[in-house]
Amino acid sequence: ETGVTQTPRHLVMGMTNKKSLKCEQHLGHNAMYWYKQSAKKPLELMFVYNFKEQTENNSVPSRFSPECPNSSHLFLHLHTLQPEDSALYLCASSQIKTGNTEAFFGQGTRLTVV
Amino acid sequence: DAKTTQPNSMESNEEEPVHLPCNHSTISGTDYIHWYRQLPSQGPEYVIHGLTSNVNNRMASLAIAEDRKSSTLILHRATLRDAAVYYCILHNAGNMLTFGGGTRLMVKP
């Protein structure tokens, strides 16, 4: 248990569905991140939120829509996804952007788009 | 972004020490050297980090070269549960945790 909880752990969705991934942390961190990990590829940073404000968007398609209502919760809203979006989606949190602190990762949501 | 270079894979015998190397020749003065590992079907897990001096914790030791252009993660006695992908990452206040391919460590009984 890392202190970062992601739900659901597994999700299968059709290309026309709309679903949301949820991430929750109660570590007192003020930065939260979404990463995507496709099969046999390194983790790719998708979004960064710092004090609830989005500070990074690494050219992610608009079919992925993040939401950070407060510093403890982070959502990733999904709509009209493609099969190539199937991947492990990981949430992480850390104290404000500084190199002298570690990040904590959730267990991830394994997403399959059919 | 400062980059790191790691071997794709390494093998170790159980209960023997393991030295995982990482090169980061373009490291800047404000970059911390972080190590994470990812066990199968899990999210990455923090292992250790340092700036200039060698560091020890309950999981591992981090040896940092004097010029900081390379570092080595040391697992003192590898167990089967240490089989994972180990990532060496440079991290500072101006960038995010950017992961490379890492080193896949295989531990033989």
Side-chain angles (χ1 to χ4, degrees):
Chain A
E1 181 58 51
T2 66
V4 178
T5 304
Q6 288 188 244
T7 54
R9 291 293 307 278
H10 300 272
L11 178 62
V12 179
M13 61 184 288
M15 289 189 283
T16 58
N17 290 160
K18 289 184 180 181
K19 296 287 184 183
S20 296
L21 309 185
K22 179 182 177 182
C23 177
E24 186 172 353
Q25 60 92 8
H26 295 288
L27 300 169
H29 292 162
N30 47 30
M32 296 187 76
Y33 315 81
W34 279 117
Y35 285 86
K36 174 185 178 182
Q37 188 172 32
S38 303
K40 300 185 179 180
K41 286 187 178 180
L43 279 78
E44 301 171 53
L45 181 64
M46 300 175 71
F47 301 103
V48 180
Y49 276 82
N50 194 352
F51 286 115
K52 300 186 296 179
E53 287 188 19
Q54 187 181 134
T55 57
E56 299 275 342
N57 176 341
N58 281 353
S59 303
V60 180
S62 60
R63 57 185 183 270
F64 294 92
S65 174
E67 179 190 2
C68 189
N70 55 60
S71 58
S72 298
H73 294 87
L74 184 66
F75 295 90
L76 188 61
H77 303 299
L78 316 171
H79 63 96
T80 59
L81 295 192
Q82 304 298 312
E84 58 264 29
D85 296 322
S86 299
L88 180 67
Y89 289 85
L90 290 156
C91 173
S93 73
S94 71
Q95 198 51 351
I96 196 171
K97 292 190 297 181
T98 166
N100 194 21
T101 183
E102 65 263 37
F104 291 81
F105 284 81
Q107 298 283 54
T109 295
R110 174 72 62 187
L111 174 68
T112 303
V113 181
V114 297
Chain B
D1 290 345
K3 301 279 189 234
T4 63
T5 305
Q6 299 177 252
N8 288 335
S9 63
M10 289 184 65
E11 266 190 11
S12 171
N13 294 317
E14 196 176 11
E15 298 190 3
E16 290 187 356
V18 181
H19 291 232
L20 297 166
C22 182
N23 287 319
H24 28 79
S25 58
T26 58
I27 191 170
S28 74
T30 57
D31 284 330
Y32 284 80
I33 301 160
H34 283 244
W35 284 82
Y36 285 77
R37 72 179 186 181
Q38 188 174 19
L39 280 64
S41 302
Q42 294 190 28
E45 171 188 32
Y46 167 79
V47 178
I48 200 166
H49 77 280
L51 185 63
T52 57
S53 303
N54 294 345
V55 184
N56 299 296
N57 67 20
R58 63 175 181 81
M59 290 183 71
S61 296
L62 177 59
I64 301 173
E66 197 169 333
D67 64 4
R68 299 208 328 125
K69 292 186 177 182
S70 65
S71 61
T72 302
L73 179 71
I74 303 166
L75 306 179
H76 296 286
R77 285 180 71 228
T79 70
L80 297 178
R81 288 176 294 180
D82 291 322
V85 179
Y86 286 79
Y87 299 97
C88 169
I89 302 165
L90 301 181
H91 185 39
N92 64 35
N95 68 14
M96 298 299 103
L97 280 174
T98 303
F99 287 76
T103 296
R104 181 172 298 278
L105 175 66
M106 292 166 279
V107 180
K108 297 182 291 184

